Amino acid sequence: MNLRSILTGVLLVLLLVGTVFFVKKNKLVSFLSPRFVTGALGLRTALKVQGPAVAPVKIVEYSDFECPSCRAVQTNIRDLFKNYPGKIQLTFKHFPLTAHKWSIYAHQAAECMNLQGKFWPFHDMVYEKQLEWAAGITPPVEALAKYARACGADMNLFSACMADVAVTREIYAEKEEGNKRQVNATPTFFLGEERFVGPKEMQVRGENAVRKILGLPPKPVPKEKPEPALPVPPAAIPKQRGLPR
């Protein structure tokens, strides 16, 4: 009888431990799962998200890595994260423009780094080095591989991913999503359905939209200074003649 009680107690303890492990495991999965999605074409990819999930301000950015304005706006985005800590969440969406011939290479490399969990360091480096890799006359494959290596990529995985057309399709699927939202320039940002295009709009109107969500008063909009008159070349100035006496 005592042996039976002992065995029953052992079984109950094992069952309890198994239950706790199962619950913890499920909690972990449910916590991580929002960071991953199955793309439009079935490829399981990590969301390119920066900032806490509970942030009240959720910004979606459609961007092109070869776009100079997209590089310039990164300063405004960093300022938002700095000035409103814990209040901002940014989701990056691929929108490579056809006018930028090397852009798709950078987007492919960035998505490959995303699959290794290193999207944001690579994102920052690609924008920082934009004038270096975008100015070449040949595809910037070597430069992008150099940046990936500097960010700690597994280069075997990276090289295989760069040749994976499934990744390319997912990039264009994100761009098509932007097309459906009538994105026609980069960078374009959305706060809900409110749209902001370019660094200037994001700096002024965009920040005030953020402040409105946070219940803060708007910042005054700086008045635009009139452009100075261009000097007239001497040849264009008519010579004055003396009046007749």
Side-chain angles (χ1 to χ4, degrees):
M1 187 70 179
N2 289 337
L3 180 60
R4 184 180 297 174
S5 299
I6 292 171
L7 289 174
T8 302
V10 170
L11 289 172
L12 287 173
V13 169
L14 290 173
L15 180 62
L16 179 61
V17 170
T19 302
V20 170
F21 176 79
F22 177 79
V23 169
K24 285 185 176 180
K25 183 179 179 182
N26 280 346
K27 282 185 177 179
L28 179 61
V29 171
S30 65
F31 174 75
L32 291 176
S33 58
R35 294 279 172 171
F36 291 84
V37 293
T38 299
L41 301 174
L43 182 67
R44 184 170 168 79
T45 60
L47 288 173
K48 298 171 284 292
V49 176
Q50 189 175 28
V54 295
V57 179
K58 290 181 168 53
I59 303 172
V60 177
E61 174 189 7
Y62 288 89
S63 195
D64 176 304
F65 281 116
E66 197 175 338
C67 158
S69 294
C70 298
R71 182 184 77 244
V73 83
Q74 299 310 308
T75 300
N76 305 126
I77 297 301
R78 284 193 292 270
D79 287 346
L80 288 178
F81 277 103
K82 179 182 176 182
N83 296 334
Y84 308 99
K87 305 297 184 183
I88 308 290
Q89 186 189 66
L90 174 70
T91 299
F92 180 96
K93 297 282 188 177
H94 296 292
F95 203 86
L97 298 172
T98 53
H100 295 153
K101 60 182 177 180
W102 305 140
S103 179
I104 185 57
Y105 291 89
H107 284 273
Q108 180 91 6
E111 191 58 46
C112 291
M113 291 298 285
N114 184 42
L115 295 172
Q116 294 194 37
K118 301 177 186 296
F119 174 79
W120 292 106
F122 188 79
H123 162 282
D124 294 345
M125 187 171 290
V126 168
Y127 276 129
E128 179 186 337
K129 303 287 188 181
Q130 186 188 80
L131 297 180
E132 177 182 276
W133 63 264
I137 59 174
T138 58
V141 177
E142 290 185 9
L144 296 169
K146 180 176 71 174
Y147 307 152
R149 192 176 292 108
C151 292
D154 179 321
M155 295 309 295
N156 290 328
L157 292 177
F158 179 81
S159 298
C161 180
M162 285 295 286
D164 191 340
V165 294
V167 175
T168 312
R169 292 192 191 105
E170 285 295 341
I171 290 168
Y172 281 109
E174 281 194 8
K175 183 177 181 180
E176 181 57 27
E177 175 191 303
N179 288 333
K180 289 178 180 177
R181 299 186 78 173
Q182 299 182 350
V183 173
N184 53 25
T186 57
T188 294
F189 298 87
F190 288 94
L191 274 74
E193 292 304 313
E194 195 171 2
R195 174 196 310 257
F196 307 91
V197 182
K200 192 173 182 180
E201 280 199 16
M202 197 60 198
Q203 183 179 8
V204 181
R205 289 183 53 240
E207 183 170 5
N208 277 337
V210 168
R211 293 176 68 84
K212 182 178 179 180
I213 293 171
L214 298 177
L216 300 173
K219 283 188 171 183
V221 178
K223 293 182 179 179
E224 293 187 9
K225 295 180 180 179
E227 294 184 4
L230 296 175
V232 179
I237 301 176
K239 292 182 180 180
Q240 293 183 348
R241 298 178 179 178
L243 295 174
R245 293 180 180 178

